[in-house]
Amino acid sequence: MRVERYTKSLDELETDLLVTTLSSTDRPPKGFGGLVDWRLNGFVSRRILDGTVSGRAQESVLIPLHRRLPARRLLILGTGEPQQFKLSDARHLSYQLGKALTRLKVTDVAISFLPASDEKLPGETEHAVLDALEQSSLARETMIRWLVSDSSPDTKENA
């Protein structure tokens, strides 16, 4: 597994799978999930309104993007109530994600997780996620791009 911190524009990101988290109270979605929703003209928000996506814990929704972003697919992982989403939950969710990436034969993925509620230092959630993905025995050639917020206005608005 190779890891890269990705700081460029979402529009420049070419990947097979874009993974973002959604809490059950994020209305509208926040962070990169909000940016993706904005770039998809509110597609995710409409799926929330029609009940297709809820953000509840253990939910995972795979969406083909059809060239709306330079990623083939979007995977939304539900985290439940934000104050209930802990680092241990991020680890568990990430381990399951690693197994799913192997089953889906994904070798290039971009990931963004909202911080866990018990994160004491910036980056703890990122480390928990990457450690769990490593433990899930991803293929060596799998490229993981950790999406890092930049200073662009639309990222700040949605963060």
Side-chain angles (χ1 to χ4, degrees):
M1 171 176 115
R2 298 174 295 143
V3 178
E4 169 186 298
R5 292 177 61 82
Y6 187 84
T7 58
K8 298 177 190 167
S9 166
L10 195 59
D11 293 321
E12 297 174 37
L13 176 66
E14 291 192 32
T15 186
D16 179 30
L17 183 66
L18 178 60
V19 177
T20 189
T21 55
L22 177 71
S23 83
S24 59
T25 60
D26 282 348
R27 308 297 183 260
K30 293 180 176 42
F32 274 98
L35 180 59
V36 168
D37 186 39
W38 182 72
R39 296 285 167 87
L40 297 176
N41 298 316
F43 178 83
V44 176
S45 291
R46 288 192 301 279
R47 298 300 69 84
I48 291 169
L49 289 173
D50 72 15
T52 305
V53 176
S54 70
R56 73 181 184 284
Q58 306 299 316
E59 176 183 64
S60 58
V61 179
L62 184 62
I63 301 167
L65 291 177
H66 305 295
R67 301 187 193 271
R68 291 178 181 222
L69 286 171
R72 287 185 41 224
R73 301 174 280 186
L74 170 66
L75 178 63
I76 301 172
L77 300 175
T79 61
E81 294 288 326
Q83 56 275 56
Q84 300 298 318
F85 185 65
K86 309 286 187 203
L87 287 166
S88 59
D89 299 316
R91 284 185 197 92
H92 177 74
L93 189 59
S94 302
Y95 184 81
Q96 297 303 319
L97 172 61
K99 295 297 184 186
L101 294 175
T102 300
R103 283 192 309 274
L104 292 168
K105 297 180 173 46
V106 173
T107 58
D108 192 300
V109 60
I111 301 173
S112 172
F113 268 57
L114 292 170
S117 64
D118 58 344
E119 181 177 274
K120 303 237 186 313
L121 298 170
E124 279 186 304
T125 303
E126 174 184 353
H127 290 292
V129 168
L130 295 175
D131 285 345
L133 286 171
E134 184 78 44
Q135 296 295 319
S136 71
S137 302
L138 283 176
R140 287 179 96 155
E141 66 273 5
T142 303
M143 172 54 94
I144 306 289
R145 289 186 179 85
W146 187 265
L147 300 174
V148 179
S149 294
D150 63 11
S151 58
S152 67
D154 49 54
T155 303
K156 280 188 178 176
E157 281 177 23
N158 290 300

